[in-house]
Short mmCIF file of all heavy atoms in Angstrom, two decimals:
data_model
loop_
_atom_site.label_atom_id
_atom_site.label_comp_id
_atom_site.label_asym_id
_atom_site.label_seq_id
_atom_site.Cartn_x
_atom_site.Cartn_y
_atom_site.Cartn_z
N VAL A 384 -16.34 83.17 18.72
CA VAL A 384 -16.42 84.25 19.71
C VAL A 384 -16.99 85.49 19.04
O VAL A 384 -16.45 85.95 18.03
CB VAL A 384 -15.01 84.57 20.26
CG1 VAL A 384 -15.08 85.69 21.28
CG2 VAL A 384 -14.36 83.34 20.84
N THR A 385 -18.07 86.03 19.60
CA THR A 385 -18.66 87.26 19.07
C THR A 385 -18.71 88.30 20.18
O THR A 385 -19.58 88.24 21.06
CB THR A 385 -20.09 86.99 18.54
OG1 THR A 385 -20.05 85.91 17.62
CG2 THR A 385 -20.66 88.23 17.87
N PRO A 386 -17.75 89.25 20.16
CA PRO A 386 -17.79 90.30 21.18
C PRO A 386 -18.93 91.28 20.86
O PRO A 386 -19.15 91.63 19.70
CB PRO A 386 -16.43 90.98 21.03
CG PRO A 386 -16.03 90.71 19.62
CD PRO A 386 -16.64 89.40 19.25
N ARG A 387 -19.64 91.69 21.88
CA ARG A 387 -20.74 92.64 21.70
C ARG A 387 -20.65 93.70 22.78
O ARG A 387 -21.48 93.78 23.67
CB ARG A 387 -22.08 91.91 21.77
CG ARG A 387 -22.27 90.91 20.65
CD ARG A 387 -23.65 90.27 20.64
NE ARG A 387 -24.65 91.32 20.58
CZ ARG A 387 -25.65 91.44 21.47
NH1 ARG A 387 -25.78 90.62 22.46
NH2 ARG A 387 -26.53 92.42 21.35
N PHE A 388 -19.58 94.52 22.70
CA PHE A 388 -19.44 95.64 23.62
C PHE A 388 -20.20 96.79 22.98
O PHE A 388 -19.82 97.29 21.93
CB PHE A 388 -17.97 95.96 23.86
CG PHE A 388 -17.20 94.78 24.39
CD1 PHE A 388 -16.10 94.30 23.71
CD2 PHE A 388 -17.59 94.13 25.54
CE1 PHE A 388 -15.39 93.21 24.18
CE2 PHE A 388 -16.90 93.03 26.03
CZ PHE A 388 -15.79 92.57 25.33
N LEU A 389 -21.29 97.19 23.60
CA LEU A 389 -22.24 98.11 22.98
C LEU A 389 -21.97 99.57 23.30
O LEU A 389 -21.67 99.93 24.43
CB LEU A 389 -23.67 97.78 23.44
CG LEU A 389 -24.15 96.36 23.15
CD1 LEU A 389 -25.53 96.14 23.78
CD2 LEU A 389 -24.19 96.09 21.66
N ALA A 390 -22.09 100.39 22.26
CA ALA A 390 -22.07 101.84 22.38
C ALA A 390 -23.03 102.36 21.32
O ALA A 390 -22.93 101.98 20.15
CB ALA A 390 -20.68 102.41 22.17
N SER A 391 -23.97 103.18 21.71
CA SER A 391 -25.01 103.69 20.80
C SER A 391 -25.70 102.54 20.08
O SER A 391 -25.94 102.60 18.87
CB SER A 391 -24.41 104.68 19.79
OG SER A 391 -23.79 105.74 20.47
N ALA A 392 -25.97 101.46 20.79
CA ALA A 392 -26.68 100.27 20.30
C ALA A 392 -25.94 99.55 19.17
O ALA A 392 -26.52 98.76 18.46
CB ALA A 392 -28.09 100.64 19.87
N THR A 393 -24.65 99.82 19.00
CA THR A 393 -23.84 99.12 18.00
C THR A 393 -22.77 98.33 18.73
O THR A 393 -22.18 98.81 19.69
CB THR A 393 -23.17 100.14 17.04
OG1 THR A 393 -24.20 100.92 16.44
CG2 THR A 393 -22.38 99.44 15.96
N ALA A 394 -22.51 97.10 18.25
CA ALA A 394 -21.53 96.22 18.90
C ALA A 394 -20.14 96.45 18.34
O ALA A 394 -19.96 96.57 17.13
CB ALA A 394 -21.94 94.77 18.71
N TYR A 395 -19.15 96.48 19.24
CA TYR A 395 -17.75 96.64 18.86
C TYR A 395 -16.92 95.57 19.57
O TYR A 395 -17.40 94.90 20.47
CB TYR A 395 -17.24 98.04 19.21
CG TYR A 395 -17.96 99.12 18.45
CD1 TYR A 395 -19.03 99.80 19.01
CD2 TYR A 395 -17.60 99.43 17.14
CE1 TYR A 395 -19.72 100.76 18.30
CE2 TYR A 395 -18.29 100.40 16.42
CZ TYR A 395 -19.34 101.05 17.00
OH TYR A 395 -20.02 102.01 16.29
N GLY A 396 -15.66 95.45 19.18
CA GLY A 396 -14.82 94.37 19.68
C GLY A 396 -13.79 94.74 20.72
O GLY A 396 -13.00 93.90 21.12
N GLY A 397 -13.76 95.98 21.17
CA GLY A 397 -12.77 96.37 22.17
C GLY A 397 -13.43 97.02 23.37
O GLY A 397 -14.41 97.75 23.23
N LEU A 398 -12.91 96.72 24.54
CA LEU A 398 -13.45 97.29 25.78
C LEU A 398 -12.30 97.74 26.65
O LEU A 398 -11.37 96.98 26.91
CB LEU A 398 -14.29 96.24 26.52
CG LEU A 398 -14.89 96.68 27.84
CD1 LEU A 398 -15.99 97.72 27.60
CD2 LEU A 398 -15.44 95.50 28.60
N VAL A 399 -12.37 98.99 27.12
CA VAL A 399 -11.33 99.56 27.97
C VAL A 399 -11.84 99.63 29.41
O VAL A 399 -12.96 100.06 29.66
CB VAL A 399 -10.93 100.97 27.49
CG1 VAL A 399 -9.93 101.61 28.44
CG2 VAL A 399 -10.38 100.92 26.08
N PHE A 400 -10.97 99.18 30.34
CA PHE A 400 -11.22 99.35 31.77
C PHE A 400 -10.33 100.49 32.24
O PHE A 400 -9.13 100.51 31.93
CB PHE A 400 -10.86 98.08 32.54
CG PHE A 400 -11.78 96.93 32.28
CD1 PHE A 400 -11.48 96.00 31.30
CD2 PHE A 400 -12.95 96.78 33.02
CE1 PHE A 400 -12.33 94.93 31.06
CE2 PHE A 400 -13.81 95.72 32.78
CZ PHE A 400 -13.50 94.78 31.79
N ASP A 401 -10.89 101.45 32.99
CA ASP A 401 -10.07 102.54 33.50
C ASP A 401 -9.30 102.09 34.73
O ASP A 401 -9.42 100.94 35.16
CB ASP A 401 -10.91 103.79 33.77
CG ASP A 401 -11.96 103.61 34.86
OD1 ASP A 401 -11.85 102.65 35.67
OD2 ASP A 401 -12.89 104.43 34.93
N ALA A 402 -8.53 102.99 35.32
CA ALA A 402 -7.68 102.65 36.46
C ALA A 402 -8.47 102.19 37.68
O ALA A 402 -7.94 101.51 38.55
CB ALA A 402 -6.80 103.84 36.82
N ALA A 403 -9.76 102.52 37.73
CA ALA A 403 -10.61 102.08 38.83
C ALA A 403 -11.26 100.72 38.54
O ALA A 403 -11.99 100.20 39.37
CB ALA A 403 -11.69 103.12 39.11
N GLY A 404 -11.01 100.17 37.35
CA GLY A 404 -11.58 98.88 36.98
C GLY A 404 -12.97 98.97 36.40
O GLY A 404 -13.64 97.96 36.21
N THR A 405 -13.41 100.16 36.09
CA THR A 405 -14.73 100.36 35.52
C THR A 405 -14.64 100.35 33.99
O THR A 405 -13.75 100.98 33.43
CB THR A 405 -15.30 101.72 35.97
OG1 THR A 405 -15.27 101.77 37.40
CG2 THR A 405 -16.71 101.94 35.48
N PRO A 406 -15.56 99.66 33.32
CA PRO A 406 -15.57 99.74 31.85
C PRO A 406 -15.81 101.19 31.45
O PRO A 406 -16.81 101.79 31.85
CB PRO A 406 -16.75 98.85 31.44
CG PRO A 406 -16.98 97.94 32.61
CD PRO A 406 -16.59 98.75 33.82
N SER A 407 -14.88 101.77 30.71
CA SER A 407 -14.95 103.21 30.46
C SER A 407 -15.10 103.59 28.99
O SER A 407 -15.53 104.69 28.69
CB SER A 407 -13.70 103.90 31.00
OG SER A 407 -12.55 103.41 30.35
N ASP A 408 -14.76 102.70 28.07
CA ASP A 408 -14.80 103.06 26.66
C ASP A 408 -14.98 101.80 25.83
O ASP A 408 -14.45 100.74 26.17
CB ASP A 408 -13.49 103.76 26.28
CG ASP A 408 -13.64 104.70 25.08
OD1 ASP A 408 -14.75 104.81 24.52
OD2 ASP A 408 -12.64 105.33 24.71
N VAL A 409 -15.72 101.93 24.75
CA VAL A 409 -15.88 100.86 23.77
C VAL A 409 -15.10 101.28 22.54
O VAL A 409 -15.16 102.43 22.13
CB VAL A 409 -17.37 100.63 23.44
CG1 VAL A 409 -17.54 99.67 22.30
CG2 VAL A 409 -18.10 100.13 24.67
N CYS A 410 -14.36 100.34 21.95
CA CYS A 410 -13.48 100.68 20.83
C CYS A 410 -13.79 99.88 19.59
O CYS A 410 -14.13 98.70 19.66
CB CYS A 410 -12.02 100.37 21.19
SG CYS A 410 -11.43 101.24 22.62
N ALA A 411 -13.61 100.54 18.46
CA ALA A 411 -13.50 99.85 17.18
C ALA A 411 -12.00 99.65 17.02
O ALA A 411 -11.28 100.57 16.62
CB ALA A 411 -14.09 100.67 16.05
N VAL A 412 -11.50 98.50 17.39
CA VAL A 412 -10.07 98.29 17.55
C VAL A 412 -9.31 98.48 16.24
O VAL A 412 -8.30 99.17 16.18
CB VAL A 412 -9.78 96.89 18.14
CG1 VAL A 412 -8.29 96.68 18.35
CG2 VAL A 412 -10.51 96.72 19.46
N ALA A 413 -9.79 97.86 15.16
CA ALA A 413 -9.06 97.92 13.89
C ALA A 413 -8.90 99.35 13.39
O ALA A 413 -7.86 99.72 12.88
CB ALA A 413 -9.76 97.06 12.85
N SER A 414 -9.94 100.17 13.55
CA SER A 414 -9.85 101.55 13.08
C SER A 414 -9.36 102.51 14.16
O SER A 414 -9.23 103.70 13.92
CB SER A 414 -11.21 102.01 12.56
OG SER A 414 -12.16 101.98 13.61
N LYS A 415 -9.08 101.95 15.37
CA LYS A 415 -8.55 102.74 16.49
C LYS A 415 -9.45 103.92 16.86
O LYS A 415 -8.99 105.01 17.13
CB LYS A 415 -7.13 103.21 16.19
CG LYS A 415 -6.16 102.07 16.01
CD LYS A 415 -4.77 102.60 15.70
CE LYS A 415 -3.71 101.55 15.68
NZ LYS A 415 -3.96 100.31 15.01
#
Side-chain angles (χ1 to χ4, degrees):
V384 180
T385 307
R387 296 185 56 235
F388 303 123
L389 302 175
S391 302
T393 303
Y395 297 97
L398 179 69
V399 176
F400 290 94
D401 64 18
T405 305
S407 62
D408 206 359
V409 172
C410 301
V412 182
S414 62
K415 298 179 173 44

